Amino acid sequence: MRFFSTKAMVFSLLLAASVCRPALASDQVQTDSTAASGWFMPTPLQRVYQALADHNMLLAWQELQLVLQQGTEQVAPDLWQPVFRQLINQSDCGRRLTEYPGTLSDWVDQPRISLSIQDKVNLSQRVYQLKLSIDGAGHAMEVSLTDSRGNQWLSGATSTPEAGYSELESREWFQSVPDGYYQLNIGEKHYPLILTSLQETARAPAIELQQTAKNTAGVFVFSPDLSADRNACHRLRLQWQWFDSDYQLAAPAETITLDAKGHGVPPRDRPDNANWLSAVVADSYFQGAIKIENVHRLTVPVRYMLTD
């Protein structure tokens, strides 16, 4: 049997699993697992596929984490990323991928943790940055984010909470944050994460700058993938943000409207103290209690938007 046919079979199983309950009784799981064991070739993802065939979503998630914890070199991204997206889609956008101890009230009121993966572009450069934020924090906390090779991407103490909000930003890099397995540590708590885009289509720039003469329309061009992607949890946030000379918000964010050509129609009113305009495209999902957000930001000086 060629691996291509196995892959096709797996996608059929994933589709079937999406309409079934997350787990079966243990005796039924054992019976189905024995039958399914001969369906998949002995690849690194075999146990992941088998758990999905058994309708055991949490086990499939744990098995995928184990595979990627060993490094992404042993399995191609185009094989594990579709499985990742299916698991996110089948688990209330990732919210049910963690078994919480105790009752619902034990964890609902816990601090809300978000990890933002930022892709920031301006007229001269493109950089990447991570930001971890905690809403409901009582004090500053030590944080680290480490990949499967032991490289630290985020390390330090969060800021002193203001009205319960605390955050920590990484330095900026000229390379993107690699897809794969990460270990997030916040204080004494540890969270295994898998970081990758939810986009099912080939990665394309979410926003590009149209290299034309200065004008008031068509400066920002948005990827057609934004509307073509039908991933169930690929919920987009498109916003305009005005900033002053100190890069502080000069006005509340506004929802972006796209014209027929995919150009962002600039907001009509500009604050008097605005020096910069950013177009922001963001999508988010969860891994248990952790919210993951992919943010693409393109910023230009206000003068770039004006006609002579």
Side-chain angles (χ1 to χ4, degrees):
M1 180 184 298
R2 298 181 62 189
F3 192 74
F4 176 80
S5 59
T6 302
K7 181 179 177 182
M9 183 185 302
V10 167
F11 279 104
S12 297
L13 287 169
L14 293 175
L15 180 62
S18 67
V19 296
C20 298
R21 58 185 183 275
L24 300 175
S26 58
D27 55 344
Q28 184 63 45
V29 168
Q30 181 63 40
T31 301
D32 290 352
S33 178
T34 302
S37 61
W39 292 355
F40 308 111
M41 292 183 65
T43 68
L45 291 175
Q46 181 186 32
R47 290 181 179 272
V48 181
Y49 296 152
Q50 184 171 313
L52 282 170
D54 294 339
H55 316 297
N56 195 330
M57 179 179 58
L58 287 176
L59 179 59
W61 180 248
Q62 293 163 0
E63 293 289 357
L64 181 59
Q65 289 178 336
L66 288 173
V67 170
L68 297 182
Q69 191 173 3
Q70 306 305 314
T72 54
E73 297 82 1
Q74 62 175 327
V75 54
D78 64 341
L79 295 179
W80 70 261
Q81 288 172 344
V83 179
F84 168 86
R85 288 189 288 267
Q86 287 288 344
L87 286 167
I88 295 294
N89 286 339
Q90 293 174 27
S91 58
D92 189 20
C93 293
R95 292 178 179 86
R96 293 187 287 110
L97 287 176
T98 299
E99 291 181 310
Y100 296 97
T103 62
L104 185 67
S105 60
D106 293 335
W107 57 270
V108 162
D109 295 328
Q110 293 298 310
R112 292 173 294 280
I113 302 170
S114 298
L115 179 65
S116 175
I117 306 168
Q118 302 185 36
D119 171 12
K120 302 190 293 186
V121 183
N122 58 33
L123 296 181
S124 61
Q125 66 179 10
R126 181 183 207 130
V127 296
Y128 301 87
Q129 188 176 35
L130 290 168
K131 183 175 79 172
L132 184 125
S133 61
I134 304 176
D135 191 4
H139 54 84
M141 305 185 73
E142 287 293 328
V143 171
S144 67
L145 181 72
T146 308
D147 65 22
S148 60
R149 294 184 175 182
N151 301 314
Q152 272 199 346
W153 292 84
L154 185 63
S155 179
T158 59
S159 59
T160 301
E162 295 185 11
Y165 178 83
S166 182
E167 65 179 32
L168 173 66
E169 290 185 330
S170 72
R171 61 183 179 87
E172 295 178 338
W173 308 282
F174 292 106
Q175 67 178 100
S176 60
V177 178
D179 293 346
Y181 175 90
Y182 290 79
Q183 182 76 29
L184 174 63
N185 300 318
I186 303 177
E188 299 298 322
K189 295 186 177 180
H190 311 286
Y191 305 91
L193 300 177
I194 297 174
L195 301 183
T196 190
S197 172
L198 284 185
Q199 286 184 261
E200 296 182 12
T201 51
R203 285 196 172 186
I207 323 167
E208 290 186 290
L209 191 65
Q210 183 168 267
Q211 300 297 322
T212 61
K214 297 177 184 177
N215 53 60
T216 57
V219 172
F220 297 91
V221 180
F222 294 78
S223 168
D225 291 347
L226 298 180
S227 57
D229 200 321
R230 294 294 182 264
N231 190 287
C233 292
H234 192 212
R235 299 169 183 173
L236 292 176
R237 172 168 60 88
L238 283 75
Q239 290 183 329
W240 295 119
Q241 293 180 346
W242 295 103
F243 294 93
D244 62 19
S245 57
D246 296 323
Y247 212 73
Q248 299 297 312
L249 275 174
E254 302 177 44
T255 300
I256 292 176
T257 301
L258 303 182
D259 64 18
K261 296 182 179 180
H263 296 169
V265 179
R268 292 182 179 179
D269 300 320
R270 175 171 65 91
D272 294 336
N273 61 335
N275 284 60
W276 306 90
L277 176 63
S278 286
V280 178
V281 175
D283 63 64
S284 61
Y285 59 96
F286 291 81
Q287 290 187 38
I290 309 296
K291 180 180 180 180
I292 309 294
E293 187 172 43
N294 293 293
V295 180
H296 304 271
R297 177 186 298 276
L298 176 56
T299 303
V300 299
V302 168
R303 65 179 183 274
Y304 195 88
M305 306 293 296
L306 303 178
T307 55
D308 294 327

